[in-house]
Amino acid sequence: MTQTTDINRQILLASRPSGAPVAENFNLVQSEKPTPEAGEVLLRTIYLSLDPYMRGRMNDAKSYADPVALNEVMVGGSVCRVEASRHEDYKQGDWVVAFGGWQDYSVAKGDELLKLDNNMANHSHALGVLGMPGLTAYMGLLDIGQPKAGETVVVAAATGAVGSLVGQIAKLQGCKVVGIAGGQSKCRYAVETLGFDYCLDHKSDDLAQQLAKVCSSGIDVYFENVGGKVFDAVMPLLNSCARVPLCGLISQYNATELPSGPDRLSLLMGMLLTKRIKMQGFIVFDDYGHRHGEFSQQMEKWLLAGQITYKEHVVDGLENSVSAFIGLLKGENFGKLVVRVGPDELK
Amino acid sequence: MTQTTDINRQILLASRPSGAPVAENFNLVQSEKPTPEAGEVLLRTIYLSLDPYMRGRMNDAKSYADPVALNEVMVGGSVCRVEASRHEDYKQGDWVVAFGGWQDYSVAKGDELLKLDNNMANHSHALGVLGMPGLTAYMGLLDIGQPKAGETVVVAAATGAVGSLVGQIAKLQGCKVVGIAGGQSKCRYAVETLGFDYCLDHKSDDLAQQLAKVCSSGIDVYFENVGGKVFDAVMPLLNSCARVPLCGLISQYNATELPSGPDRLSLLMGMLLTKRIKMQGFIVFDDYGHRHGEFSQQMEKWLLAGQITYKEHVVDGLENSVSAFIGLLKGENFGKLVVRVGPDELK
């Protein structure tokens, strides 16, 4: 069934996954539409963002954010329209960015929302190139990575929401950019459309050798969003004074135990020491939320000038969110994954 | 035998250690005094600094600095007096800091030297509180660690050349300071003389529990100079946005292979990510050599005002350097380890 004016479809966390999430970890239910109280607005979800960090919220582990409770709605950023407003800054029909979760309707306090230009060409971009993934790429690369012209920047998940922007911004800084992606068609896209200098297929058996070959002067910035065997290939190539902004580790989100030994913790620390490397984790809204204005101004300029290309992978229907999310963790999406939950105008 | 006017005693690297260095890895020989060429000076070593980084130079491994070649003089910072000068800026009798190595006499180009005030009260301080270890503590803590008043700073090797200064500088910033040292007498000294809030004995079986207890609000800055089981105890206590300046890993310098598994590399990276931690290695002269002036001005003020206490462990005689260095790697020194190689005035 599709979005209606009176039923609130919701996808709940039914059970916690052990390893990769499966369909049974989620539960699609129908509830009543919530009612806004004073200072709140009722929102209808138009687009839902699906992002790798959501896997972490499914665990019952202390992390930077609280886990989703069992039988609660899965969390997520969304682009919504105001259905009813009890907040003076919002009126019916307004477009906003909210943290509405995997459902048709939600309520939010007015001051938790980001107002969008109602005439914006692509409102869904507020979940990608102009939203959280864009800010992540921009701040992680420029503020922590500090790439200089002529340096070599490596980024994995090279056609993903964040990686594709990291590589393009690095090219705009005059860097040599090497992407890593899953499969030949993504690699071709990274080079031919995004303008990366090279893009390697992480499914190749000789990834480490290929990477060493194309990074003949070593690696100055590695934008880390995957971990695992990609990091293993990157580690020996890092130059003195390299910077490693750390924004995600998708390869290990489904891990149920640590890999077997030897224990390379001391190896990593020894390398950071002798090569004077900075490795720094960041959570974009906590660390850089206050710089969103500066970012969106610059990114809008680049988009208008055609200097940044952005690709979305749009899945239709809230009911398909679960399979799309499971696919995201396997790298099956091609571009920023967004679910079209409802139409712009609901009759 | 002691220093003479005509023989150059030298300690050479005879063989590369496997694990902890032993006396047989070194060879004391007698050579002729070298002769300075134009632009050079002949130096007589008064004090030789012994520091943990020297263990790394004994390996035949690529690192930030070249290894010492077999049958070459062991490297090291030294305080020397000019015996003969062919450089216009230096005259006989001048005191300088050089990188003269484990020997009585060396030659150096004038521009490789740091001139000392000939009337300085303790010339050996130029190898410690006012030299490389001081700059390491000052820049690593203040520039990378950026401690704020009220935060908790943990430092290991708490009575060593670097650690003792890190803790005292952190106290001057208004931080709570927890040291870790080997043995009760060092711990008492850290608290009673250096003014640390706590100091724990790393030889205790329950170090992790003790550390958790005294760091009841977690750890904001961990100044890493040892690694190993101290880091294991620190890791779970690191707060969000903690900073980990990484200046040494003495506990693993003698390791011949990686510890057995599980492989915690992914655990460390996951923690850096979710807690938004910065871990950064540095090599002090490469990263901060240009800020030596700013450092020494501030440190001299603190010393004059009695706000920084500094302890040296002076070993007499070049021939005792080997056993002193072997002891240093076992934590047997108490204070900055310096060898008195020759008298101020040699008759």
Side-chain angles (χ1 to χ4, degrees), chain B residues 99-158:
Chain B
F99 202 67
W102 299 26
Q103 57 186 342
D104 285 316
Y105 293 97
S106 59
V107 291
K109 294 198 173 76
D111 56 9
E112 297 166 349
L113 302 173
L114 178 71
K115 210 167 186 170
L116 293 177
D117 179 349
N118 288 336
N119 299 315
M120 188 176 172
N122 297 288
H123 287 100
S124 62
H125 285 196
L127 299 175
V129 63
L130 291 169
M132 183 270 281
L135 186 64
T136 300
Y138 184 89
M139 287 295 167
L141 179 68
L142 297 181
D143 196 67
I144 301 178
Q146 301 196 3
K148 292 180 262 305
E151 288 192 327
T152 299
V153 174
V154 173
V155 62

Side-chain angles (χ1 to χ4, degrees), chain A residues 62-64 222 224 227 231-232 235 240-241 244 246-249 252-253 258-283 286-287, chain B residues 62-64 222 224 227 231-232 235 240-241 244 246-249 252-253 258-283 286-287:
Chain A
K62 194 182 158 192
S63 183
Y64 60 93
Y222 174 55
E224 175 62 294
F231 185 71
D232 296 346
M235 192 158 71
S240 280
C241 300
V244 183
L246 187 50
C247 97
L249 292 165
Q252 66 191 53
Y253 290 164
L258 291 174
S260 58
D263 183 2
R264 295 179 302 157
L265 186 143
S266 61
L267 183 72
L268 176 59
M269 288 178 65
M271 189 201 63
L272 298 182
L273 171 61
T274 56
K275 291 189 174 173
R276 309 150 57 198
I277 292 171
K278 176 174 73 172
M279 181 174 267
Q280 184 170 354
F282 68 106
I283 304 295
D286 294 342
D287 290 304
Chain B
K62 195 183 157 190
S63 183
Y64 61 91
Y222 174 53
E224 174 64 292
F231 185 71
D232 296 347
M235 191 158 71
S240 281
C241 300
V244 183
L246 185 50
C247 98
L249 291 165
Q252 65 191 53
Y253 290 165
L258 291 173
S260 59
D263 182 3
R264 297 180 302 157
L265 185 145
S266 61
L267 183 72
L268 176 60
M269 288 178 67
M271 188 201 64
L272 297 182
L273 171 61
T274 57
K275 292 190 174 173
R276 307 150 58 197
I277 292 171
K278 176 175 76 171
M279 181 175 268
Q280 184 170 352
F282 67 106
I283 304 295
D286 294 343
D287 290 305

Side-chain angles (χ1 to χ4, degrees), chain A residues 6-10 29-34 103-105:
Chain A
D6 53 350
I7 293 172
N8 188 17
R9 299 173 304 164
Q10 300 180 303
V29 300
Q30 299 188 2
S31 307
E32 284 187 23
K33 259 181 8 185
Q103 57 186 342
D104 285 316
Y105 294 97

Side-chain angles (χ1 to χ4, degrees), chain A residues 56-344:
Chain A
R57 303 290 178 92
M58 299 177 77
N59 290 339
D60 191 22
K62 194 182 158 192
S63 183
Y64 60 93
D66 288 333
V68 177
L70 287 178
N71 299 313
E72 290 291 326
V73 179
M74 281 291 295
V75 292
S78 52
V79 162
C80 303
R81 295 191 76 178
V82 174
E83 288 286 307
S85 176
R86 295 188 62 190
H87 189 287
E88 58 181 7
D89 292 348
Y90 296 92
K91 60 178 196 306
Q92 198 185 348
D94 279 352
W95 289 81
V96 298
V97 177
F99 202 69
W102 299 26
Q103 57 186 342
D104 285 316
Y105 294 97
S106 57
V107 291
K109 295 197 173 75
D111 56 9
E112 297 167 349
L113 303 173
L114 178 72
K115 212 167 185 168
L116 293 176
D117 179 350
N118 288 335
N119 299 313
M120 189 177 172
N122 297 288
H123 287 100
S124 61
H125 284 196
L127 298 174
V129 64
L130 291 170
M132 183 270 281
L135 186 64
T136 301
Y138 185 89
M139 287 295 166
L141 179 68
L142 297 182
D143 196 67
I144 301 177
Q146 303 196 5
K148 291 181 263 305
E151 288 191 328
T152 298
V153 174
V154 173
V155 62
T159 62
V162 174
S164 63
L165 297 173
V166 167
Q168 290 180 88
I169 298 169
K171 282 307 297 177
L172 290 169
Q173 310 305 310
C175 297
K176 169 174 161 179
V177 173
V178 178
I180 298 169
Q184 284 307 314
S185 69
K186 288 182 180 173
C187 288
R188 259 196 312 276
Y189 174 82
V191 173
E192 291 170 8
T193 305
L194 302 178
F196 289 21
D197 296 283
Y198 301 92
C199 190
L200 308 177
D201 185 351
H202 69 70
K203 296 172 183 169
S204 323
D205 291 335
D206 62 342
L207 174 66
Q209 288 80 355
Q210 287 186 43
L211 190 65
K213 199 171 160 194
V214 301
C215 299
S216 49
S217 309
I219 297 171
D220 300 296
V221 179
Y222 174 55
F223 191 99
E224 175 62 294
N225 49 10
V226 300
K229 71 173 193 171
V230 174
F231 185 71
D232 296 346
V234 163
M235 192 158 71
L237 301 175
L238 289 169
N239 285 333
S240 280
C241 300
R243 288 80 67 198
V244 183
L246 187 50
C247 97
L249 292 165
I250 194 171
S251 74
Q252 66 191 53
Y253 290 164
N254 286 332
T256 53
E257 55 183 19
L258 291 174
S260 58
D263 183 2
R264 295 179 302 157
L265 186 143
S266 61
L267 183 72
L268 176 59
M269 288 178 65
M271 189 201 63
L272 298 182
L273 171 61
T274 56
K275 291 189 174 173
R276 309 150 57 198
I277 292 171
K278 176 174 73 172
M279 181 174 267
Q280 184 170 354
F282 68 106
I283 304 295
V284 69
F285 285 126
D286 294 342
D287 290 304
Y288 295 110
H290 61 291
R291 293 176 66 181
H292 197 282
E294 161 195 348
F295 147 74
S296 56
Q297 230 177 5
Q298 176 63 68
M299 187 59 85
E300 278 169 15
K301 264 187 218 159
W302 281 334
L303 284 169
L304 266 176
Q307 293 179 286
I308 290 277
T309 296
Y310 178 61
K311 183 184 182 73
E312 280 183 338
H313 180 131
V314 182
V315 167
D316 209 50
L318 181 67
E319 65 279 13
N320 295 315
S321 303
V322 171
S323 58
F325 178 65
I326 291 172
L328 172 72
L329 295 175
K330 296 180 187 158
E332 290 173 359
N333 60 305
F334 190 172
K336 169 68 187 106
L337 184 58
V338 171
V339 180
R340 174 63 118 149
V341 178
D344 287 6

